[in-house]
Amino acid sequence: NPTIEYLTDETFVSNEGCLSVPQMRANVDRCLEIAVTYYDREGQQHSEEVRGYSACTWQHEYDHLDGILFPNRVTDMKSFCSWQVFQEFRQAAYAEHVTELVKKWGA
């Protein structure tokens, strides 16, 4: 039942994987600031603003509700790789990329 409102045009290149697409990863652009509204199990409405890497995670999971998987959102087809290739050749650089995001926005 959640809804997402995009609060900025600023995006982050998130290298994503998913249990629905085992052992694969690729780059997806995600908005860095979103407002999320949802109802909890007791029917209480909640609204919050989510920023940084947490906003990327919310968008990834929200996509599942519409049957969208990360390959449908890939922005650079050359970024597709196996988990093994990511770990060996790309993980260290991506960790630095995320570290800079966390410094700016927090989790």
Side-chain angles (χ1 to χ4, degrees), residues 36-101:
V36 181
T37 302
Y38 61 94
Y39 292 90
D40 65 19
R41 292 180 184 175
E42 287 75 41
Q44 297 297 313
Q45 186 178 38
H46 299 269
S47 295
E48 57 188 275
E49 290 185 3
V50 184
R51 293 177 172 81
Y53 201 72
S54 294
C56 297
T57 302
W58 268 92
Q59 290 164 83
H60 175 102
E61 296 304 329
Y62 181 80
D63 277 349
H64 285 288
L65 299 175
D66 289 328
I68 298 169
L69 301 176
F70 83 89
N72 301 108
R73 299 239 188 251
V74 171
T75 52
D76 178 2
M77 297 307 276
K78 293 178 183 177
S79 70
F80 264 109
C81 67
S82 68
W83 175 247
Q84 182 178 351
V85 167
F86 175 78
Q87 283 183 306
E88 189 171 345
F89 300 105
R90 300 178 183 175
Q91 188 171 19
Y94 186 66
E96 290 179 23
H97 183 58
V98 171
T99 298
E100 291 303 312
L101 178 70

Side-chain angles (χ1 to χ4, degrees), residues 20-37:
S20 299
V21 187
Q23 301 299 316
M24 296 300 298
R25 301 193 65 85
N27 291 345
V28 177
D29 283 342
R30 298 290 187 183
C31 184
L32 279 172
E33 295 182 85
I34 60 173
V36 181
T37 302

